């Protein structure tokens, strides 16, 4: 695994510092990257996309996990969770593509609106960044709900009883008990969602379109189009750096767990 | 209590909305796979199974399918076996740097697949390997290993330690106790891990896209037909793949619960 996993990353790191023509060590690839608008833009577009995806996913996933964990009757709990996460096992690409059928200007939604109201509407939603955010958020919601649920289910129900005995309401229950105790799941879920959103290629291509590429799209077109390996390696390493930064909260979490033991 | 039930109603609606959003595209795909119109637009024309027949006779789909099967079966076999030994040593021994190794095995989880694919391509082509299905198998093994290790070590840590210790004190060798105690008690988990890694490898697209040139897998075939003009047969193949992986996924979940 070291051979096929660690070495390749270091090889990419080395490539990113080599001049494409002469093969000498240089920082120019990085300067070139940030001096070209198209690269620079796509870098920040990627970050923006992932940021929105995480925010929406967390906002939606928290009430969902709460619902499955505390509102749904015990008998149906596994079923509810299973319904929500079953599509995990199915092709992400195909699901993203089906959204094209629904959201395109001649898709299901416009057709329905036309049938119901008689108006011809244009959605102008497909092939925008909003569509990418939408597609990835649905995935993030599934992932974060699953991980949050795992944390929430271990919460001692007596804590909740104590809260209401001491005169607390739903708000204090969530703020003082559920939120802090499910934080590990929330953090792991958000980091994993971020990583998937930052590196995904299929959803931005199928839903977001090619005019405003994210980093992954640019990386692929650089490799398959111009064969400029060094530039592509530079992008890959930038992605690695972003991910390492994103993993910092995860590390603090690991420390915390160790202290508790 | 009145206020809480309001909250609960809201939660029910939220749950229903998200679930329908998750399943809507799949439903649409299944419906359209029986639509006779060549274009993917409403309204629905006539019922047909032409697209299914097309998929089953198109040599490119068949080739992709058989390539995918070969690759993902070898990936899941290899990963499950290797993960069994990794998990065994992680659960049953205490050595310096164990927690580090534990983390190390999980790192591929936090690396986007596109990075695994891209860096492996750089590395292996610089070493003189040509992109091929074999490289795809290597890349996908790296991606499914953490899942396999997680599942198996989860199960192994539940096996009472003294079972094995009893075997040792009765003169059994380490290897024998592993095969006669640990292996049988992990039976269901092993099958479940095998199925799980299989479905993940089978659906995986981006690593394969980087690591093979001419012999394509099914997801690559699907992808190329998606991007280069639409082919309605994709709905049919999508439906088949969806139902198969859903069934396999459910089976593996049931096996996990069974232990």
């Amino acid at each position: 695994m070291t051979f096929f996993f660690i070495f390749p990353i270091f090889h990419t790191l080395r490539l990113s510092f080599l001049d494409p023509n002469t093969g000498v060590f240089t920082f120019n690839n990085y300067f070139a990257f940030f001096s070209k608008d198209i690269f620079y833009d796509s870098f920040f577009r990627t970050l923006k996309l992932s940021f929105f995806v995480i925010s929406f996913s967390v906002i939606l996933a928290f009430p969902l996990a709460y619902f499955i964990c505390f509102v749904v009757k015990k008998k149906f709990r596994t079923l509810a969770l299973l319904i929500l996460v079953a599509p995990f096992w199915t092709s992400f690409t195909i699901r993203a593509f089906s959204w094209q059928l629904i959201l395109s200007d001649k898709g299901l939604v416009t057709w329905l609106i036309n049938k119901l109201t008689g108006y011809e509407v244009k959605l102008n939603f497909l092939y925008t960044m909003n569509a990418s955010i939408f597609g990835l958020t649905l995935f993030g919601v599934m992932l974060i709900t699953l991980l949050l649920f795992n944390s929430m289910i271990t919460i001692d129900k007596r804590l909740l009883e104590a809260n209401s005995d001491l005169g607390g309401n739903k708000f204090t229950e969530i703020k003082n008990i559920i939120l802090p105790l499910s934080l590990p799941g929330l953090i792991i879920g958000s980091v994993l969602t971020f990583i998937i959103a930052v590196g995904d290629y299929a959803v931005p291509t199928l839903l977001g379109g090619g005019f405003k590429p994210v980093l992954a799209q640019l990386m692929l077109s650089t490799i398959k189009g111009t064969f400029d390996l060094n530039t592509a390696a530079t992008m890959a390493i930038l992605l690695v750096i972003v991910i390492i930064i994103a993993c910092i909260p995860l590390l603090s979490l690991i420390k915390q767990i160790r202290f508790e033991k | 209590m009145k206020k809480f039930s309001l909250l609960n109603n809201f939660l029910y609606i939220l749950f229903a909305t998200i679930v329908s959003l998750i399943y809507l595209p799949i439903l649409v795909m299944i419906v359209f796979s029986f639509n006779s119109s060549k274009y993917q637009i409403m309204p629905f024309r006539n019922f047909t199974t032409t697209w299914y027949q097309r998929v089953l006779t198109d040599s490119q789909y068949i080739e992709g399918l058989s390539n995918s099967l070969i690759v993902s079966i070898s990936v899941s076999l290899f990963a499950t076996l290797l993960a069994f030994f990794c998990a065994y040593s992680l659960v049953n021994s205490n050595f310096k740097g164990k927690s580090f190794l534990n983390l190390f095995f999980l790192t591929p989880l936090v690396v986007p697949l596109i990075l695994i694919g891209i860096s492996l391509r750089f590395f292996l082509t610089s070493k003189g390997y040509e992109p091929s299905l074999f490289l795809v198998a290597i890349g996908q093994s790296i991606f499914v290993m953490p899942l396999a290790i997680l599942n198996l070590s989860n199960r192994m840590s539940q096996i009472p330690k003294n079972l094995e210790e009893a075997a040792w004190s009765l003169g059994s060798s380490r290897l024998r106790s592993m095969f006669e105690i640990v292996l049988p008690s992990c039976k269901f988990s092993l099958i479940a891990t095998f199925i799980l890694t299989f479905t993940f490898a089978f659906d995986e697209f981006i690593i394969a896209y980087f690591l093979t040139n001419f012999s394509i897998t099914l997801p690559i075939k699907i992808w190329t037909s998606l991007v280069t003009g639409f082919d309605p047969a994709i709905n049919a193949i999508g439906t088949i793949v969806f139902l198969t992986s859903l069934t396999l996924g459910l089976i593996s979940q049931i096996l996990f619960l069974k232990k």
Side-chain angles (χ1 to χ4, degrees):
Chain A
M1 201 158 125
T2 316
F3 184 77
F4 290 117
F5 178 62
I6 301 297
F7 284 6
I9 302 251
F10 277 104
H11 183 77
T12 313
L13 186 66
R14 201 175 68 97
L15 267 184
S16 74
F17 284 115
L18 295 181
D19 188 276
N21 299 318
T22 58
V24 286
F25 184 86
T26 171
F27 282 103
N28 281 345
N29 293 325
Y30 288 89
F31 291 130
F33 180 86
F34 281 106
S35 62
K36 272 192 202 153
D37 275 355
I38 173 167
F39 293 147
Y40 183 82
D41 285 349
S42 83
F43 183 67
F44 284 100
R45 190 176 300 125
T46 312
L47 290 185
K48 201 168 117 191
L49 169 77
S50 320
F51 175 75
F52 278 116
V53 169
I54 296 186
S55 322
F56 290 136
S57 307
V58 170
I59 292 170
L60 289 171
F62 194 83
L64 276 180
Y66 178 86
F67 170 76
I68 297 175
C69 204
F70 297 109
V71 179
V72 174
K73 285 199 189 71
K74 206 172 174 187
K75 220 166 41 178
F76 300 112
R77 216 177 270 158
T78 325
L79 186 70
L81 194 68
L82 212 58
I83 288 174
L84 201 65
V85 299
F88 252 138
W89 297 301
T90 64
S91 171
F92 198 28
T93 320
I94 290 177
R95 261 184 295 141
F97 145 75
S98 325
W99 276 112
Q100 278 190 341
L101 306 182
I102 298 170
L103 296 173
S104 77
D105 282 339
K106 282 183 179 162
L108 189 66
V109 174
T110 47
W111 180 79
L112 267 182
I113 293 174
N114 190 14
K115 279 280 155 205
L116 292 175
T117 63
Y119 287 111
E120 287 279 348
V121 281
K122 269 205 157 33
L123 274 179
N124 290 329
F125 183 67
L126 194 64
Y127 304 129
T128 62
M129 194 167 112
N130 294 343
S132 301
I133 294 175
F134 176 76
L136 285 168
T137 300
L138 272 181
F139 185 80
V141 168
M142 283 157 63
L143 187 66
I144 299 180
T145 310
L146 183 67
L147 291 164
L148 263 180
F149 174 81
N150 278 337
S151 311
M152 277 188 190
I153 202 77
T154 58
I155 294 176
D156 196 332
K157 296 283 181 304
R158 281 172 297 182
L159 287 174
L160 306 184
E161 284 162 21
N163 173 64
S164 55
D165 286 348
L166 295 170
N169 55 21
K170 273 269 151 25
F171 179 70
T172 58
E173 176 188 301
I174 288 172
K175 179 174 153 275
N176 295 336
I177 301 169
I178 297 178
L179 195 59
L181 286 177
S182 60
L183 205 59
L186 194 67
I187 294 179
I188 297 174
S190 317
V191 172
L192 286 181
T193 307
F194 177 81
I195 288 162
I196 286 163
V198 139
D200 191 47
Y201 172 72
V203 171
T205 310
L206 291 176
L207 297 181
F211 293 115
K212 293 190 166 173
V214 295
L215 215 50
Q217 286 169 290
L218 218 54
M219 216 154 36
L220 203 97
S221 61
T222 315
I223 289 180
K224 299 247 163 168
T226 61
F227 300 103
D228 184 353
L229 297 189
N230 301 88
T231 309
T234 310
M235 292 186 231
I237 292 302
L238 283 171
L239 209 57
V240 172
I241 295 171
V242 169
I243 287 160
I244 291 175
I245 296 172
C247 284
I248 291 174
L250 220 56
L251 286 178
S252 70
L253 202 70
I254 291 165
K255 263 189 210 139
Q256 213 178 20
I257 292 168
R258 233 178 247 157
F259 277 129
E260 277 167 17
K261 276 180 185 168
Chain B
M1 285 309 281
K2 191 92 181 147
K3 215 169 83 190
F4 297 160
S5 68
L6 197 71
L7 178 73
N8 286 358
N9 283 342
F10 166 75
L11 290 173
Y12 273 107
I13 292 169
L14 182 72
F15 182 75
T17 318
I18 297 285
V19 166
S20 49
L21 279 181
I22 289 174
Y23 283 92
L24 182 67
I26 299 168
L27 217 68
V28 169
M29 176 182 77
I30 296 177
V31 170
F32 268 95
S33 73
F34 293 108
N35 185 6
S36 66
S37 163
K38 220 174 131 37
Y39 302 100
Q40 289 306 102
I41 45 176
M42 297 302 286
F44 190 84
R45 293 269 170 79
N46 298 314
F47 180 86
T48 174
T49 52
T50 325
W51 309 124
Y52 286 90
Q53 287 160 14
R54 267 264 317 274
V55 167
L56 296 176
T57 50
D58 187 320
S59 65
Q60 272 191 313
Y61 280 114
I62 299 291
E63 193 207 329
L65 181 69
S66 61
N67 281 341
S68 274
L69 282 177
I70 295 169
V71 171
S72 23
I73 288 177
S74 29
V75 164
S76 46
L77 262 181
F78 174 73
T80 311
L81 271 180
L82 201 63
F84 177 76
F85 293 110
C86 289
Y88 182 79
S89 52
L90 280 177
V91 170
N92 289 305
S93 53
N94 247 322
F95 53 89
K96 228 179 162 189
K98 182 183 157 182
S99 55
F100 174 75
L101 200 65
N102 220 333
L103 274 184
F104 174 71
F105 278 133
L106 299 184
T107 34
L109 269 187
V110 297
V111 177
L113 301 183
I114 194 169
L115 281 181
I116 296 181
I118 218 170
S119 53
L120 257 178
R121 187 193 167 103
F122 287 158
F123 181 64
L124 292 175
T125 48
S126 82
K127 292 274 174 287
Y129 294 95
E130 282 299 310
S132 65
L133 288 179
F134 178 64
L135 299 197
V136 176
I138 293 176
Q140 294 191 338
S141 305
I142 288 174
F143 139 70
V144 296
M145 270 295 277
L147 296 168
I149 293 181
L150 266 183
N151 280 332
L152 287 176
S153 52
N154 233 347
R155 171 66 191 125
M156 276 185 205
S157 54
Q158 290 163 0
I159 302 172
K161 189 77 185 136
N162 42 21
L163 272 182
E164 252 193 302
E165 277 161 3
W168 295 337
S169 61
L170 292 171
S172 143
S173 71
R174 182 122 214 188
L175 206 65
R176 191 165 160 211
S177 76
M178 187 163 98
F179 278 108
E180 292 196 353
I181 296 170
V182 184
L183 198 63
S185 23
C186 289
K187 199 170 49 192
F188 287 123
S189 296
L190 276 171
I191 301 171
T193 309
F194 177 80
I195 296 175
L196 198 72
T197 45
F198 174 81
T199 46
F200 273 93
F202 191 80
D203 278 341
E204 199 287 323
F205 154 70
I206 197 81
I207 295 179
Y209 197 50
F210 276 115
L211 292 177
T212 178
N213 275 352
F214 302 111
S215 22
I216 53 167
T217 63
L218 191 61
I220 300 181
K221 171 66 192 155
I222 294 175
W223 179 261
T224 36
S225 352
L226 276 183
V227 207
T228 56
F230 185 73
D231 176 1
I234 290 178
N235 288 330
I237 193 115
T239 308
I240 299 172
V241 172
F242 169 75
L243 292 177
T244 328
S245 23
L246 192 70
T247 326
L248 286 178
L250 285 178
I251 292 174
S252 80
Q253 252 346 271
I254 292 165
L255 286 176
F256 272 128
L257 292 178
K258 230 175 153 181
K259 284 177 183 155

